[in-house]
Amino acid sequence: MSPPASPTTPARLVRDGPTWLIYLQISTSAAFLYGLSAAIPLLRIEQKVSQAVAGLHGTAIAVGAVVSGLAIPWLVSRLGRRRTIWLGLLLMGAGVALLAAVTPVPATLSAVALAGTGSSITLYVGMSVLSDHHGRAGAAAINEANAVAVTVGIGMSYLVSLAAAGPLGWRAALLVTPLATLALIALMGRVRVPDTPAGTGGTIGAPLKAHPPPAGPYGTRFHIACAVLFCVVAAEFLFNFFAAKLLADQTGMTAAVAATALTAFTAGIATGRFAGGRLALRAAPAPLLAAALVVTCAGWAVFWLSTHPVPSYAGLALSGAGVAMLFPLGLSRVIAASGGRPDQASAAASIWAGVAVGTGPFALGALADAFGTRTAFLLVPLLITLALTGVAFGGRSHPGT
């Protein structure tokens, strides 16, 4: 736990053993997500299906996120956080191993749903631990965990591409995720993460039985924070799913070359998350989140208005730098507004994020079919505006925000 600090002094992030374990567990989850993103086009070719059918694998991840959100409170209350996170990693590893072994669409969708459920359990329970374990530095810890994770994810994307051109094929690269899980169990399986929320008087490793979370409904500010999280997650996935298509349309690039758009966007995310971790130690989450939304919108504007590659890539990198802080800060605000219920808040966040992943890209795709990708991409600033409105109304939701 970070040492107490005055509200007027910068928070201090102490990276102890449990913190590094959570960072690596979340990074293993990122390896699955980024590896899958790189593998979907290759899987679509093998399955000989349309882009719409291939896109159902994204829907399967969203379903997994919703299922995990429903399961997390039950799992944590019975197993504790530590065992729940390891269970999530094992479920994810099993799903990825199945994905690497099968080809029929129903089988791959089932595998992705299983892996997505485990990934979301790992991600959201892990981040509730970081928020609780680090107190005022919780937002910085969540941001830094995501920075480490996205760096691992970028490497995983390249590994899938390299393996696809090699003798073993792209499926072999996916096995990094279950192998990494087994390595973590062997090397760090005995590290104890905090099972008891802060302020309950529990000790690291103690099961969650003696001090139940506060009862009663969530307040309006909590629901506003969840709505903001929905908007920022949807905006991020709109870039992931449609930036390359818009780049090709506006610059005349081939689809293959335009696919490098995600590299600029992801590089911006990695840079922004490492920088955001430092900023989160010195600035309150609400104004920092608002600033990140403004940066994202500025990058979007540069990208949307550009018809040449260089400013387009610059706009995507700037957008990525802003997007980098949206999810970590959005999640930290959901947890902070939960009234001392971090695990239940993380479960709710998983559901909201899952719905955002499932509906945001679908809505933009439908608009693109009707009005074109460029017009449909106006959905991004609309979501940013709604998120800024939510931050403004929920800005005084809890101390420190």
Side-chain angles (χ1 to χ4, degrees), residues 4-318:
S6 165
T8 60
T9 60
R12 183 185 172 204
L13 177 58
V14 178
R15 301 172 186 86
D16 54 9
T19 300
W20 279 111
L21 175 59
I22 298 295
Y23 282 11
L24 293 173
Q25 289 172 327
I26 291 175
S27 295
T28 304
S29 174
F32 154 65
L33 292 171
Y34 280 81
L36 179 66
S37 296
I40 287 298
L42 304 169
L43 180 62
R44 184 178 71 83
I45 294 171
E46 284 191 9
Q47 293 177 327
K48 300 178 181 178
V49 296
S50 67
Q51 292 192 49
V53 172
L56 290 175
H57 292 88
T59 305
I61 292 178
V63 170
V66 173
V67 170
S68 74
L70 297 173
I72 284 171
W74 185 87
L75 290 171
V76 170
S77 68
R78 282 155 181 79
L79 301 178
R81 288 167 165 177
R82 176 176 174 269
R83 291 178 180 176
T84 298
I85 295 172
W86 285 119
L87 175 62
L89 282 171
L90 290 171
L91 289 174
M92 181 178 66
V96 173
L98 178 61
L99 178 62
V102 298
T103 300
V105 173
T108 58
L109 289 176
S110 299
V112 170
L114 176 62
T117 301
S119 173
S120 292
I121 290 172
T122 300
L123 179 67
Y124 288 98
V125 178
M127 287 195 283
S128 73
V129 170
L130 289 177
S131 176
D132 220 32
H133 188 51
H134 290 281
R136 290 180 60 230
I142 291 174
N143 209 85
E144 189 170 84
N146 280 274
V148 174
V150 77
T151 304
V152 171
I154 292 172
M156 186 65 185
S157 297
Y158 281 111
L159 182 61
V160 171
S161 300
L162 290 173
L168 296 178
W170 61 269
R171 291 174 182 269
L174 296 183
L175 296 177
V176 166
T177 299
L179 291 175
T181 297
L182 295 176
L184 277 178
I185 292 173
L187 298 175
M188 303 186 73
R190 294 185 179 182
V191 175
R192 310 295 290 183
V193 301
D195 260 348
T196 304
T200 63
T203 57
I204 291 176
L208 291 172
K209 348 179 194 182
H211 301 276
Y218 293 108
T220 301
R221 298 185 190 99
F222 174 80
H223 297 295
I224 291 175
C226 288
V228 169
L229 183 69
F230 171 91
C231 290
V232 300
V233 170
E236 178 175 349
F237 273 81
L238 294 186
F239 276 104
N240 283 331
F241 277 67
F242 292 97
K245 176 66 166 62
L246 184 57
L247 181 65
D249 290 348
Q250 298 198 149
T251 64
M253 289 181 175
T254 65
V257 175
T260 57
L262 279 183
T263 303
F265 182 66
T266 308
I269 290 178
T271 303
R273 281 189 175 154
F274 278 111
R278 291 178 172 271
L279 291 172
L281 292 172
R282 293 167 172 79
L288 191 56
L289 178 55
L293 286 164
V294 171
V295 170
T296 303
C297 198
W300 169 88
V302 173
F303 173 62
W304 192 75
L305 293 171
S306 173
T307 57
H308 299 284
V310 172
S312 294
Y313 282 115
L316 285 171
L318 182 61

